[in-house]
Amino acid sequence: MREQGFARFTVTHVRKDGSRFPVEVSARTWVRNGQPCVIAFNRDITETRNTLELLDVERTRLKLAARAGFIGFFDWDMLNDSVYYSPEWKAQLGYEPQEVAHHYREWETRVHPDDLPATLEALRRHIESDGSPYEREFRMRHKDGSWRWIHVRGQLMRDAIGRPKRMLGCHVDVTAEHAAAASRSETERLLRSFYDSPGVLRGVVSLLDDDILLVTSNVEMAHFFGCEAGCLDGRLASEIGTSRKAIDLWLGYYRQSQRERRPISFDYEHVAPEGS
C-alpha cells in the first residue's frame, strides 16, 4: 500500500460470540492535517463467499456431467466473434484442447459442405427469431477425416436493446444413433422385400369374437383376394367377401395355434373373386 497507494485483501474477523467470518478490506493512503494516515473500508463478504462456493460446486457438477455424458459446450461471444469450446467439444472431433483455437471459423470450417448452407440459414433464422431454442443436426469433420453426426442445442442472449450478444449451447455426438437408424432402415427394407416376395401370401391378423381383422397384408395376398396392394389392411374378413364357413374355419385353426403356442397348417377350399 505504501508503494502503490492502495491495497485490497481478505482477513478473518471474530465476532463477540467467538464465531468467525470473512472480511474484505479496501485501504488507501491519505494525508490528514499534513500527517500520513490510512483510510480503510471493511465489508462482510460471508454471503458473497457462500455464493461463490455454491457456484464452484455447481460448476464442478456441470463439468463432471459433461465429461460423463461426453457433452461439448460452447460459448459464442458474438460481439468479438470469439468462441469458447470446452475440452469435451474438441474431444468429440478427436482434438486435444490446445489444437483448436477459440474462434467461430473453427466450427464453420468443420461442418460438412452439404450441411453448411442449411445449417447457416437455420442459425440466421434463430438469431432473427423471438428467442426460441436452436436445435439442429449436421455432420462435422473428425481429426481422422471421418464425418461425425452432431446434435446441437443452443440459446441466444441479447443485450439491453435487443441486439444479439451471446450464444450458449452444447454438442452431442449422435453418429451411433444415425448408424443404428440406417441399419434399421436397411433391415426394414430387406424384411419388406421378403414380406412382399412373390408366390407366398403373408399377413398379420387380429382375432375377434366372430371375425378376423386384417392388420396388414402383402401384395400377393391383395392379388389373391382380387384387389390392389394395401386394400385389405384394416378390414374385416367378412368385408372382403370371405364366406362364413371360411372365417369359422380360420378362427378355429388360428385359436388352436394360439392355445398350443405352435405353428399350424391346414387346407381349405377358397372361392376366387371370379367364382372359381
Side-chain angles (χ1 to χ4, degrees):
M1 184 179 63
R2 284 174 175 162
E3 293 173 355
Q4 300 178 6
F6 176 81
R8 178 180 288 124
F9 54 94
T10 303
V11 295
T12 300
H13 281 198
V14 183
R15 295 188 179 91
K16 183 179 180 178
D17 62 7
S19 61
R20 297 171 177 268
F21 64 101
V23 173
E24 182 186 75
V25 181
S26 300
R28 67 172 56 252
T29 56
W30 195 258
V31 177
R32 183 172 182 271
N33 298 329
Q35 296 295 321
C37 63
V38 173
I39 182 169
F41 299 91
N42 289 2
R43 183 167 67 94
D44 183 345
I45 58 171
T46 303
E47 186 175 346
T48 301
R49 177 166 290 184
N50 289 341
T51 301
L52 290 175
E53 288 176 355
L54 287 173
L55 286 174
D56 189 57
V57 170
E58 290 301 319
R59 189 180 296 111
T60 300
R61 286 175 179 168
L62 185 61
K63 286 182 178 179
L64 291 173
R67 195 172 302 152
F70 206 45
I71 300 171
F73 290 98
F74 67 88
D75 182 353
W76 180 16
D77 181 345
M78 304 175 76
L79 299 179
N80 298 314
D81 200 24
S82 64
V83 187
Y84 167 77
Y85 302 108
S86 71
E88 289 76 22
W89 190 101
K90 299 173 184 179
Q92 282 180 0
L93 301 177
Y95 292 96
E96 295 296 326
Q98 71 277 6
E99 293 183 293
V100 178
H102 294 290
H103 193 277
Y104 170 81
R105 291 284 296 169
E106 295 284 359
W107 167 80
E108 184 175 328
T109 56
R110 287 180 170 82
V111 178
H112 195 290
D114 293 344
D115 300 339
L116 184 58
T119 300
L120 291 177
E121 175 60 21
L123 182 59
R124 182 192 64 79
R125 290 198 303 269
H126 172 70
I127 292 173
E128 296 176 354
S129 73
D130 57 359
S132 57
Y134 174 73
E135 189 167 358
R136 194 165 183 83
E137 288 187 1
F138 46 78
R139 288 164 290 179
M140 292 190 72
R141 188 176 62 252
H142 194 274
K143 185 179 180 180
D144 63 12
S146 63
W147 294 100
R148 311 292 295 180
W149 278 100
I150 300 296
H151 186 99
V152 59
R153 291 187 179 92
Q155 183 65 57
L156 183 70
M157 302 175 68
R158 300 180 183 275
D159 62 17
I161 60 174
R163 293 177 303 183
K165 179 180 70 171
R166 189 178 180 188
M167 187 171 181
L168 301 171
C170 63
H171 279 193
V172 178
D173 188 332
V174 292
T175 305
E177 287 83 347
H178 274 260
S183 178
R184 284 195 301 271
S185 179
E186 177 62 13
T187 300
E188 289 169 1
R189 186 190 67 79
L190 291 172
L191 287 174
R192 172 54 64 179
S193 176
F194 168 75
Y195 189 67
D196 284 333
S197 58
V200 181
L201 283 65
R202 294 187 175 90
V204 177
V205 301
S206 180
L207 305 184
L208 308 180
D209 289 339
D210 60 353
D211 213 332
I212 298 172
L213 175 66
L214 293 163
V215 178
T216 182
S217 59
N218 69 355
V219 175
E220 284 291 316
M221 184 177 286
H223 293 166
F224 183 77
F225 282 94
C227 59
E228 297 297 322
C231 67
L232 303 177
D233 297 355
R235 299 183 65 187
L236 298 172
S238 58
E239 292 178 334
I240 60 174
T242 308
S243 67
R244 184 71 254 169
K245 180 180 178 181
I247 293 175
D248 291 340
L249 181 75
W250 292 353
L251 282 172
Y253 281 114
Y254 290 165
R255 285 180 176 139
Q256 179 184 342
S257 174
Q258 200 173 40
R259 287 193 306 272
E260 297 177 1
R261 298 177 178 273
R262 66 179 181 86
I264 197 165
S265 62
F266 58 94
D267 299 329
Y268 79 103
E269 188 176 77
H270 178 76
V271 180
E274 72 278 7
S276 60

